Amino acid sequence: MNLLDGLNDVQRSAVEFLKGPTLIFAGAGSGKTRVLTHKIAYIIEKQFVYPRNILAVTFTNKAARELKERVKKFIGHRAGQVNIGTFHSICARLLRMEIEHIGYDKNFSIYDAADQQALIKSIIRDNNIDLEGVKPNSIKGKISYLKNEMIEPKDFKARKFVPLDRLTEYIYPLYQAALKRVGAVDFDDLLLLPLILFKEHPKILRKYQQIFKYILVDEYQDTNIPQFQLVSMLSDLHKNICVVGDDDQSIYSWRGAKVENILKFDKTFPNCRVFKLEQNYRSTKNILAAASAIVKNNENRAEKTLWADKEKGELITQIEASDEWDESGRMASSILNEIRQNKRNFKDFAILYRTNAQSRILEQVLTRNRIPNVIIGGVRFYERKEIKDILAYFRLLANNRDNVAFQRIINTPTRGIGKVTLDKLIEYANLNDFSYYETLNYVDEMKMSARAKNALTGFRNLIKQFQDIRSTITFEEWANIVIDRLGMRKYFKEDGGEESDQRLANIDELLNSIADYCSKVEEPTLEGYLEEVALITDIDSWDDKKNAVSMMTFHSAKGLEFPVVFLCGMNKGLFPIQRDPEESNEEERRLFYVGLTRAMEKIFLSSAETRNFRGENLRYEISPFMKEIPFELLEKGKTKERVISPSRIRKSSQTFNSSPEPTTKLDKSVSDSVVDAMPGMMVSHKIFGAGKIINVAGFGKNAKLTIMFRDSGKKTIIAKYVKIKS
DNA sequence: AGATAGGGGCGCCAG
DNA sequence: GCCCCTATCT
């Protein structure tokens, strides 16, 4: 196949242009993934470089996977050797190999937000810091902000009368030192440490400059300062740096992204060649007209005009609901309508909202109306207590200096080690500069009851035992044994709460994910698994094959497309969201632009007159953004409610009337097929493959199914983890 | 030690 | 509405 086939003129020139800095402005839906795919293949074919000499950076792991798949179609299995990944995953891989040069152990842990917070809390405790009402979480946020701006601990000077500033000035250096002591890096460090490494060791930088002969970066408008520096340093030898992006879609300034990176690219990288992809292949003319009208109202943007070849298409439907239940109900009925009239499938729809909190009511209303739906984001699988607990064991085993992991599990499941015992242990550890785990070898020297000493020694022996068998069996076998012997299942079973079934199912699902990891990686290891898990994003775990309505935030929708898109919560204060009244709404407007341009054929915009905020019902005005859409592109929705009355759902959950509440509690993060499982039905499971249901206990998506799998035999699995065929 | 109930406080968006 | 912290009880 010719690598230039099927491209328009600009796309073709952009693919063919290989030498030197290249900036590709790619409007929404203008085929930038197409260009990136062709370009990678073209570089390999025409320039006779090895696939491993190419570095391609994407925004999510999912995008990386897709890019790899598409390159594979051109150059076959060699595509596997192209370095494709997110900034974070590429940096993590690099650090695994090189981090010892800057004084870290290569078994470093990766700390997520919860771990960071736990570490900050332990610093506050160890140093008897008076918080003056400041929350540890705000300090965490401030530190992260400083890291994104590349302000080092020693360089931050607090404004005198701002308590958060003063506390941060004091805690930031302690925090950074603590990370190093426990052998951990946070998400921001993943980007910063390679920079430090390169600055201190020019030879190592040189090595990577030589490896990465061609560098391509997608979504360049959302890169931050460290990412910019990484890209500049790595491309400094060959200068073959190609960035793709759209300043109108820059939506991450709140976490340090600098739109100037793309706007000033041609100044920063001299002799840069600029291409503009302005033909939109995704949306109808009406949709594009609305989106363009919106984004034109922004001051700070590069001038460009997107145009579409498609037909005019339908008007944008405006839904004005009375409250959020009504809003959800009307969306549900519009979905059913579209399916009836235009023969659409559930998976053709996406509902986008500004805040995750909006998903709760939506999910309830959709599910009651038997509309299959999937929520992307919210409480993530790997952030659930039971999962984090088990992973903390894994982490302590991989890196036994990981004090945060240690604290999490020292008494989970309960083994009689309480606050007093732990305090004594921590004091001893700090006094002698030991890690908490190391301290377990000195229990005899600590002043505590014999019972406490026994419990601590027991814990040490348990961990030791896991350590000892590690080298003798595969990671998968080992993980199974660990989870088994920990007694986590028993612990959560006896917990007895409504959630305990759910927790047990999640533990099984964790084992499935481990099996999955082991089957797709050449050399599965504990460390490798932990790293993969740490860097998973919401979008990554989305099964886009499932026939269900997708629900997610505007931010998560970046890069995706759907035939029909609902943008809900079009209310002042919610979207654009209420924050500093001083600040302009430019980024919120770009977010709106991103939302609108996800749609291929049809858009619904909905608002509600009243909404519940922090428990009270408030009146909301319609979003000022609505007035920015040319009126001739809008029509009022005339949806009649043909769905289960939303008000009835609400009442039944508030009053103690006769209508029985369903006994299943709605699960907050995963919804699945509404088809009720019955014995005899065929199912498929992500890991175990095809099987047949032989027994059903409970109902709905949390029903316990006994399934006979064709290859793996009989297993018990919760309904939501299998796909029901038929 | 550890579970549980009650009260204060307030935020988004995410690797 | 929900999370986190603290007080209180077993």
Side-chain angles (χ1 to χ4, degrees):
Chain A
M1 191 198 294
N2 188 329
L3 290 171
L4 299 174
D5 283 353
L7 299 172
N8 70 30
D9 289 348
V10 191
Q11 289 175 336
R12 191 177 311 118
S13 325
V15 168
E16 282 177 313
F17 186 79
L18 293 177
K19 287 286 174 192
T22 313
L23 166 60
I24 305 175
F25 274 115
S30 63
K32 71 179 166 130
T33 311
R34 198 181 178 78
V35 169
L36 277 174
T37 319
H38 283 253
K39 200 170 171 84
I40 292 171
Y42 192 81
I43 292 170
I44 294 169
E45 297 288 299
K46 293 285 164 182
Q47 293 291 304
F48 306 108
V49 301
Y50 295 109
R52 64 182 160 79
N53 290 129
I54 298 176
L55 170 65
V57 186
T58 56
F59 201 71
T60 62
N61 297 306
K62 181 175 152 60
R65 272 201 304 275
E66 281 166 9
L67 189 56
K68 204 165 257 189
E69 282 309 308
R70 287 172 68 168
V71 177
K72 213 174 245 170
K73 295 219 170 89
F74 286 122
I75 65 165
H77 70 280
R78 282 186 299 157
Q81 295 157 28
V82 181
N83 296 290
I84 303 182
T86 62
F87 274 106
H88 288 87
S89 65
I90 283 164
C91 288
R93 245 180 282 157
L94 190 145
L95 288 175
R96 280 293 163 214
M97 296 185 283
E98 313 285 356
I99 200 168
E100 284 170 331
H101 290 112
I102 48 173
Y104 282 77
D105 194 287
K106 73 173 195 298
N107 288 334
F108 64 87
S109 310
I110 298 175
Y111 275 10
D112 69 9
D115 302 319
Q116 285 174 275
Q117 207 177 344
L119 187 64
I120 289 173
K121 279 183 189 166
S122 72
I123 292 169
I124 290 164
R125 188 198 50 212
D126 292 348
N127 294 280
N128 297 314
I129 296 171
D130 175 13
L131 279 182
E132 306 170 59
V134 174
K135 290 170 90 172
N137 204 24
S138 325
I139 300 170
K140 188 204 93 203
K142 185 87 187 179
I143 291 175
S144 179
Y145 164 81
L146 293 169
K147 287 188 170 188
N148 281 324
E149 299 296 318
M150 295 192 69
I151 299 170
E152 290 178 40
K154 62 177 168 47
D155 294 331
F156 176 58
K157 292 288 169 279
R159 290 163 293 179
K160 263 192 189 144
F161 300 106
V162 185
L164 174 60
D165 270 25
R166 278 187 284 119
L167 283 159
T168 305
E169 186 181 313
Y170 184 48
I171 292 174
Y172 183 16
L174 297 174
Y175 169 78
Q176 204 52 32
L179 276 178
K180 194 155 187 177
R181 196 170 55 244
V182 302
V185 307
D186 62 21
F187 282 121
D188 304 314
D189 283 348
L190 283 175
L191 307 176
L192 292 172
L193 294 181
L195 290 172
I196 293 174
L197 172 83
F198 290 155
K199 281 172 193 160
E200 288 181 8
H201 300 273
K203 272 191 185 153
I204 297 177
L205 171 61
R206 192 78 179 171
K207 179 171 93 185
Y208 286 98
Q209 285 176 332
Q210 277 161 349
I211 295 176
F212 301 138
K213 293 198 167 83
Y214 288 87
I215 300 176
L216 302 98
V217 185
D218 195 10
E219 306 281 9
Y220 192 69
Q221 76 281 357
D222 278 322
T223 49
N224 62 17
I225 298 174
Q227 288 165 341
F228 163 76
Q229 292 204 2
L230 279 167
V231 167
S232 335
M233 283 173 115
L234 286 171
S235 66
D236 203 39
L237 180 65
H238 292 283
K239 315 268 187 204
N240 293 325
I241 164 76
C242 170
V243 304
V244 187
D246 177 6
D247 54 308
D248 287 335
Q249 295 186 62
S250 165
I251 54 176
Y252 280 98
S253 76
W254 50 272
R255 64 170 207 217
K258 302 280 183 240
V259 73
E260 294 77 26
N261 284 350
I262 193 167
L263 293 176
K264 294 185 180 156
F265 184 85
D266 51 349
K267 306 247 171 5
T268 326
F269 294 87
N271 305 319
C272 147
R273 181 77 186 270
V274 182
F275 297 92
K276 285 188 180 183
L277 306 179
E278 294 183 306
Q279 180 176 0
N280 172 300
Y281 293 92
R282 179 184 295 149
S283 312
T284 63
K285 283 202 171 73
N286 281 343
I287 291 173
L288 212 58
S292 302
I294 294 295
V295 81
K296 269 209 182 83
N297 295 326
N298 275 357
E299 303 274 330
N300 185 25
R301 66 185 287 263
E303 192 45 50
K304 58 188 99 56
T305 4
L306 260 188
W307 59 278
D309 215 10
K310 278 189 160 182
E311 70 284 358
K312 265 194 145 178
E314 291 179 52
L315 294 174
I316 293 172
T317 302
Q318 183 180 9
I319 299 174
E320 291 176 281
S322 55
D323 59 18
E324 58 266 73
W325 294 92
D326 185 35
E327 184 186 29
S328 300
R330 284 168 193 250
M331 283 194 270
S333 84
S334 304
I335 289 171
L336 296 174
N337 237 339
E338 285 281 332
I339 287 175
R340 247 193 320 271
Q341 289 181 358
N342 300 330
K343 298 213 165 69
R344 295 194 193 276
N345 290 308
F346 290 118
K347 70 169 181 319
D348 294 337
F349 299 88
I351 301 178
L352 310 185
Y353 35 78
R354 183 62 178 82
T355 64
N356 277 311
Q358 288 165 263
S359 66
R360 221 188 82 253
I361 289 168
L362 257 168
E363 186 198 26
Q364 283 190 37
V365 174
L366 259 55
T367 305
R368 295 294 177 101
N369 285 289
R370 317 213 114 215
I371 298 174
N373 57 84
V374 192
I375 295 179
I376 293 129
V379 183
R380 302 173 185 68
F381 181 76
Y382 291 99
E383 283 173 12
R384 284 150 200 258
K385 180 190 170 350
E386 60 277 19
I387 303 302
K388 281 216 83 168
D389 287 348
I390 293 171
L391 292 179
Y393 276 95
F394 285 10
R395 269 169 39 189
L396 186 67
L397 265 307
N399 165 19
N400 50 50
R401 286 191 294 154
D402 191 334
N403 290 350
V404 171
F406 181 99
Q407 275 197 78
R408 186 175 182 100
I409 54 177
I410 179 69
N411 202 30
T412 309
T414 47
R415 45 175 75 91
I417 300 170
K419 193 178 175 311
V420 181
T421 310
L422 185 62
D423 280 350
K424 283 180 188 158
L425 182 142
I426 290 174
E427 200 191 331
Y428 189 88
N430 289 342
L431 213 63
N432 295 286
D433 206 19
F434 290 152
S435 71
Y436 298 170
Y437 180 70
E438 241 176 321
T439 314
L440 293 178
N441 294 319
Y442 303 91
V443 285
D444 289 338
E445 294 173 27
M446 289 181 251
K447 281 198 198 108
M448 53 179 71
S449 68
R451 219 176 67 180
K453 286 183 181 180
N454 265 334
L456 288 176
T457 310
F459 178 71
R460 189 199 58 186
N461 292 340
L462 181 77
I463 300 293
K464 251 209 177 117
Q465 170 203 335
F466 294 147
Q467 200 110 285
D468 291 343
I469 56 173
R470 235 185 102 184
S471 53
T472 64
I473 48 179
T474 67
F475 167 55
E476 189 174 355
E477 291 166 331
W478 180 85
N480 275 279
I481 291 174
V482 170
I483 291 174
D484 231 45
R485 293 206 191 151
L486 280 179
M488 282 294 191
R489 284 205 184 76
K490 188 162 168 275
Y491 174 64
F492 286 117
K493 202 174 275 173
E494 282 167 4
D495 186 46
E498 291 231 354
E499 292 156 348
S500 80
D501 273 2
Q502 194 54 58
R503 294 206 150 129
L504 293 174
N506 288 337
I507 292 175
D508 288 334
E509 196 55 23
L510 178 73
L511 284 168
N512 291 344
S513 99
I514 292 170
D516 190 29
Y517 162 79
C518 293
S519 68
K520 72 170 201 252
V521 174
E522 272 177 41
E523 220 180 298
T525 59
L526 169 62
E527 289 79 7
Y529 177 70
L530 286 175
E531 181 172 313
E532 181 166 298
V533 161
L535 299 175
I536 275 177
T537 71
D538 289 338
I539 282 290
D540 296 337
S541 32
W542 172 42
D543 175 10
D544 54 7
K545 306 280 180 304
K546 196 182 280 177
N547 189 18
V549 174
S550 302
M551 307 196 276
M552 68 192 90
T553 61
F554 286 86
H555 285 89
S556 293
K558 174 163 139 167
L560 307 177
E561 61 179 22
F562 299 90
V564 184
V565 174
F566 289 81
L567 308 181
C568 69
M570 297 298 304
N571 287 101
K572 192 178 173 186
L574 183 62
F575 191 44
I577 206 155
Q578 180 71 55
R579 39 178 160 118
D580 225 340
E582 301 286 294
E583 231 173 313
S584 81
N585 279 327
E586 298 222 339
E587 179 142 321
E588 295 290 304
R589 197 176 278 112
R590 288 194 291 269
L591 203 49
F592 191 23
Y593 177 77
V594 168
L596 291 167
T597 53
R598 297 311 95 199
M600 298 154 85
E601 294 161 19
K602 174 79 192 165
I603 290 176
F604 291 85
L605 299 173
S606 69
S607 58
E609 277 174 43
T610 67
R611 296 187 165 273
N612 209 296
F613 182 69
R614 279 194 215 157
E616 51 181 342
N617 243 355
L618 300 179
R619 232 161 222 298
Y620 276 83
E621 287 176 44
I622 292 200
S623 168
F625 286 163
M626 288 306 296
K627 290 197 211 72
E628 298 182 19
I629 296 180
F631 71 93
E632 68 272 16
L633 298 176
L634 278 175
E635 62 165 14
K636 295 269 184 212
K638 336 176 239 299
T639 39
K640 281 209 193 85
E641 279 185 19
R642 262 167 300 196
V643 294
I644 293 175
S645 159
S647 57
R648 264 199 55 198
I649 298 174
R650 189 174 13 166
K651 271 199 193 106
S652 66
S653 60
Q654 277 175 352
T655 58
F656 37 87
N657 65 19
S658 53
S659 73
E661 266 291 283
T663 46
T664 42
K665 243 183 117 179
L666 284 165
D667 185 270
K668 287 191 180 117
S669 64
V670 199
S671 329
D672 205 314
S673 160
V674 285
V675 178
D676 284 316
M678 305 273 254
M681 282 177 168
M682 299 302 292
V683 300
S684 72
H685 183 273
K686 210 165 67 190
I687 284 115
F688 302 128
K692 188 176 182 180
I693 302 179
I694 51 181
N695 190 34
V696 179
F699 52 90
K701 61 188 181 230
N702 290 325
K704 257 191 250 178
L705 312 181
T706 311
I707 300 167
M708 181 60 83
F709 286 101
R710 211 175 40 207
D711 303 325
S712 325
K714 199 161 78 174
K715 299 223 181 301
T716 305
I717 291 190
I718 297 294
K720 69 181 183 186
Y721 291 125
V722 301
K723 199 176 283 176
I724 295 172
K725 298 180 192 168
S726 75

